[in-house]
Structures are given as structure tokens and as C-alpha cells.
Amino acid sequence: MLLIDSDAGGPDVDLLRRAGVLPSEVAIVGIRSHHLNRLAAAEILTTTRSDEALIVIGDFASNDDRIALLDAGADHVLNVPVTAREVIAWVRSTLSRVRVTPLTTRGTRLSVCEVCRTVEYDGLQIALTKTELDLLSVFIRNADRVLSRQYLLLVVWGIACDSTTNVVGAHICSLRRKLASIGAPLAIRTMRGVGFALHESI
């Protein structure tokens, strides 16, 4: 996973996504300095997914900032300026040493097309928005794992601060309706006071 300070002059997040130069299993989290706590963000990511590699890119004033992020669980901390080619090389090197969870479900009749943003089950297909697809991808890669609202805000929306927004709940409701409309055997359950978890009953 890449955690990028979008205001620090690093590689353009959207450009990296659109270019398709990174493997699809690499999640890119772009957050902005005006509501940024990189250390807290890194702790959220590594606490939820201790088995997932984390590369942080930003503008760091001191070695202490970088050391704190490494102590929080980051695998690499890159200071800007850093080129897209360097980022790709770091990702390639990191992926060669860690286990990657592909975007798959246990069943054979459900498929997710990331390019066309659709979910198909038993011959029925439904289109998803980009955000719905991003959200579903996070849930599938973390099936049966409880994900906090804070983690979802960070990974899907790049919001790294405390927020009262209901954007997570609204998109989960929409995703539930769409999955139910094609009979997909995926249930996003609310774990009150904890977060959400995807369960698959195939």
C-alpha cells in the first residue's frame, strides 16, 4: 500500500492509478496536508493489516519524522522529490518480498471487473461507481476481517482525520442494495461500535 501526501509535491496519485503501471493489488491512499496526520494514518493502516506492506511518501522535516513512521510499521519512508519510476521500483521490490492478496472471492459464480466497474453473479450484472468499486475491493481483500470506519475513510477517501461525515455508511447502504439486486452472496455486516465486515456465503 502507498500512503502519499498529495500536497507534498510527490507523484500524482490519480496519474499513477490511471497509468496502470502498478499492480491492481496495490492500494494508493492520497491524503492532503491540511487534514493530515501521517503517523496516525500509518498506525491505522498497519494495525488493521499487519501483513500488508506500507510505503509512505511525503515531505519530512527531520529524520525523527521518518523514524516514527518506521516504528509505526511502515516498510519504507520516501522523502520528496521522488519520481514515479522510483515509486514503481520500490513497489516492485516490496511486492517481491510480501504476500499479496488478490481481488478474488471464494465462489466461482461471482466476478468483479475492475476495468468496467461491474459485479456479475449467476449471469446478472450491476454497474458500480468508482467509489463503490474501491469500497468493495477493500472489503473483498479483507473478507471476514472487521474494518473500522476510520480505516475505510483513510483507504477509500483519503481522509486521515476524525470526521463526522456519513459518507461510509451511505456508500455501504448503496453497495448492499446493488449486491442484493443481483443476488450476490456477499453480506456487509455492521459490527456496532467496531466497524464493518464482509462475509461470503457461497
Side-chain angles (χ1 to χ4, degrees):
M1 180 175 292
L2 293 176
L3 177 61
I4 301 177
D5 179 354
S6 300
D7 288 339
D12 184 87
V13 176
D14 292 329
L15 181 61
L16 282 173
R17 287 192 179 111
R18 290 194 304 269
V21 293
L22 295 175
S24 61
E25 61 268 20
V26 176
I28 303 175
V29 180
I31 51 182
R32 298 198 173 277
S33 298
H34 67 275
H35 56 57
L36 176 64
N37 184 330
R38 282 181 294 245
L39 184 58
E43 289 172 344
I44 292 168
L45 295 174
T46 55
T47 299
T48 304
R49 286 300 303 265
S50 59
D51 59 339
E52 193 169 72
L54 175 64
I55 300 173
V56 182
I57 301 173
D59 187 7
F60 305 101
S62 70
N63 286 334
D64 289 343
D65 292 338
R66 293 192 290 273
I67 291 170
L69 284 162
L70 291 168
D71 286 341
D75 295 273
H76 303 291
V77 179
L78 308 181
N79 210 4
V80 294
V82 58
T83 66
R85 288 183 63 193
E86 288 178 274
V87 173
I88 294 165
W90 275 107
V91 169
R92 194 164 52 236
S93 172
T94 303
L95 286 178
S96 69
R97 299 192 302 273
V98 300
R99 179 180 61 83
V100 175
T101 303
L103 184 58
T104 59
T105 57
R106 290 190 293 268
T108 57
R109 292 185 297 166
L110 187 141
S111 62
V112 180
C113 178
E114 294 182 274
V115 175
C116 52
R117 296 180 188 169
T118 59
V119 177
E120 183 174 333
Y121 177 71
D122 209 15
L124 298 176
Q125 188 179 90
I126 190 76
L128 303 179
T129 66
K130 179 186 180 302
T131 302
E132 289 168 345
L133 177 63
D134 291 343
L135 186 59
L136 180 60
S137 298
V138 171
F139 275 120
I140 289 177
R141 291 194 174 100
N142 294 277
D144 298 320
R145 187 192 302 263
V146 177
L147 303 178
S148 69
R149 176 178 169 277
Q150 196 174 20
Y151 178 84
L152 293 172
L153 277 173
L154 177 59
V155 173
V156 179
W157 285 273
I159 299 175
C161 63
D162 290 334
S163 173
T164 58
T165 178
N166 190 40
V167 66
V168 175
H171 278 81
I172 285 178
C173 285
S174 176
L175 193 53
R176 282 171 174 158
R177 285 195 299 270
K178 289 189 176 183
L179 292 173
S181 71
I182 60 172
L186 298 176
I188 301 174
R189 296 178 182 171
T190 301
M191 319 298 286
R192 296 202 177 276
V194 183
F196 306 89
L198 178 73
H199 296 285
E200 189 177 350
S201 55
I202 299 180

